[in-house]
Amino acid sequence: MIRKSPDLTMSETMSFFDAVESRRSVRIFDQETPFDHDLIKKALEAAILSPNSSNLQLYQFIRVPESSSLKDQLAELCMRQKAATTARELVVVVTRRDLWKSRAAANYEYIKSATQNQSEKKKKQALSYYGNLIPKLYSKFPGWTLVKKLIAFTVGLKRPMVREVGETEVRISVHKSAALAAMTFMLGVKAVGYDTCPMEGFDSKRVKKLLNLTSGSEICMIIGCGKGLPEGIYGERFRVESELLISEK
């Protein structure tokens, strides 16, 4: 299925650079003014258009709005941070490495049925990628990481080769994709006039149990959403000089 961009009018959003400049991690949210949960849904729909490794989309957003019976329990497991207890909605970003087979199969079937103007050679290469290479990269069994690293090392002696093929590197790749989507979501929330706070301080084991998550899933972050209050911004923004972060060769 080809996913279309969410229908947002210009009057509903601010410009990209305005959203980036004004986005802050807000730790106290307004409890009084009405909150439009549909705008959170729109931001999530935009987030899943984010770039991700091999288009596998090995992540999941779980919404826990203020009306949910789980909201207070989840806030408790976020160490009762104000960003959680005052949030009008909590969004749990979950990595789903365990879904790689179904995601790869979905891409494979899409390529088979696609009618784009592409050569048969390109189509076969894409089918081989999802039918052959992805299973080799994402499969898990004892000793396979060592074998993959040995293959990468051997091939790399003769030509450029991807080196990050071990289990830890694959896990990192999945979290990177989830984080990209999470950042798109947070910018989308800011663009429609609300605020967010991404949190890493939570009891992941208990959160997984509370949300009945699979053993193969991991929590990337939990994001508090709402209309931020001025006191929820703890001081002026600080960043080191851009010259320390941006270079050119």
Side-chain angles (χ1 to χ4, degrees):
M1 180 181 72
I2 300 176
R3 190 176 295 277
K4 296 181 179 179
S5 300
D7 184 20
L8 288 171
T9 66
M10 288 301 294
S11 62
E12 291 178 296
T13 64
M14 64 177 71
S15 76
F16 170 76
F17 287 104
D18 286 340
V20 172
E21 289 285 344
S22 59
R23 187 215 61 81
R24 298 290 305 274
S25 292
V26 181
R27 292 170 173 81
I28 303 176
F29 298 105
D30 184 1
Q31 302 295 293
E32 303 300 326
T33 58
F35 184 75
D36 189 348
H37 290 274
D38 286 340
L39 291 179
I40 299 300
K41 181 180 179 181
K42 283 188 175 183
L44 287 170
E45 290 287 342
I48 59 179
L49 301 178
S50 302
N52 64 96
S53 182
S54 300
N55 199 37
L56 293 175
Q57 292 181 262
L58 296 175
Y59 57 78
Q60 179 182 11
F61 292 105
I62 300 178
R63 301 177 62 187
V64 184
E66 55 193 336
S67 59
S68 171
S69 61
L70 299 180
K71 199 272 181 177
D72 287 344
Q73 297 177 66
L74 183 55
E76 185 73 29
L77 298 180
C78 291
M79 314 303 171
R80 295 206 60 80
Q81 298 177 65
K82 288 185 178 180
T85 59
T86 66
R88 306 298 292 272
E89 182 162 340
L90 291 169
V91 174
V92 185
V93 184
V94 182
T95 62
R96 295 301 308 271
R97 187 197 186 288
D98 54 325
L99 295 179
W100 74 265
K101 288 184 180 179
S102 62
R103 297 288 199 266
N107 276 278
Y108 188 93
E109 291 303 317
Y110 170 72
I111 292 168
K112 277 179 61 178
S113 61
T115 58
Q116 292 108 320
N117 184 22
Q118 57 182 329
S119 68
E120 196 62 30
K121 179 180 179 181
K122 287 290 184 183
K123 194 168 185 176
K124 285 182 178 179
Q125 286 175 342
L127 290 174
S128 177
Y129 183 82
Y130 287 105
N132 185 32
L133 184 59
I134 289 297
K136 284 184 171 65
L137 182 62
Y138 279 86
S139 292
K140 291 174 66 174
F141 50 84
W144 184 230
T145 285
L146 182 60
V147 172
K148 287 190 292 183
K149 284 184 173 291
L150 183 59
I151 292 172
F153 173 79
T154 304
V155 173
L157 292 174
K158 298 180 180 180
R159 61 177 176 82
M161 177 62 185
V162 175
R163 312 288 176 144
E164 293 72 23
V165 296
E167 185 57 32
T168 297
E169 291 86 357
V170 170
R171 177 173 173 262
I172 289 171
S173 177
V174 173
H175 276 270
K176 284 193 290 186
S177 292
L180 284 169
M183 188 70 251
T184 301
F185 167 67
M186 288 186 282
L187 289 175
V189 172
K190 188 60 194 178
V192 296
Y194 288 139
D195 300 286
T196 57
C197 184
M199 293 173 279
E200 293 183 300
F202 49 80
D203 186 327
S204 59
K205 183 176 181 179
R206 286 185 168 88
V207 172
K208 286 181 68 171
K209 183 177 180 180
L210 177 69
L211 300 179
N212 195 29
L213 299 180
T214 64
S215 60
S217 62
E218 294 182 335
I219 300 169
C220 180
M221 67 185 80
I222 299 176
I223 304 172
C225 309
K227 184 66 176 178
L229 292 175
E231 58 266 34
I233 298 177
Y234 295 171
E236 296 294 325
R237 173 185 280 137
F238 169 76
R239 295 291 188 272
V240 299
E241 294 81 0
S242 61
E243 291 78 9
L244 298 175
L245 304 174
I246 304 169
S247 63
E248 184 174 337
K249 298 287 187 180

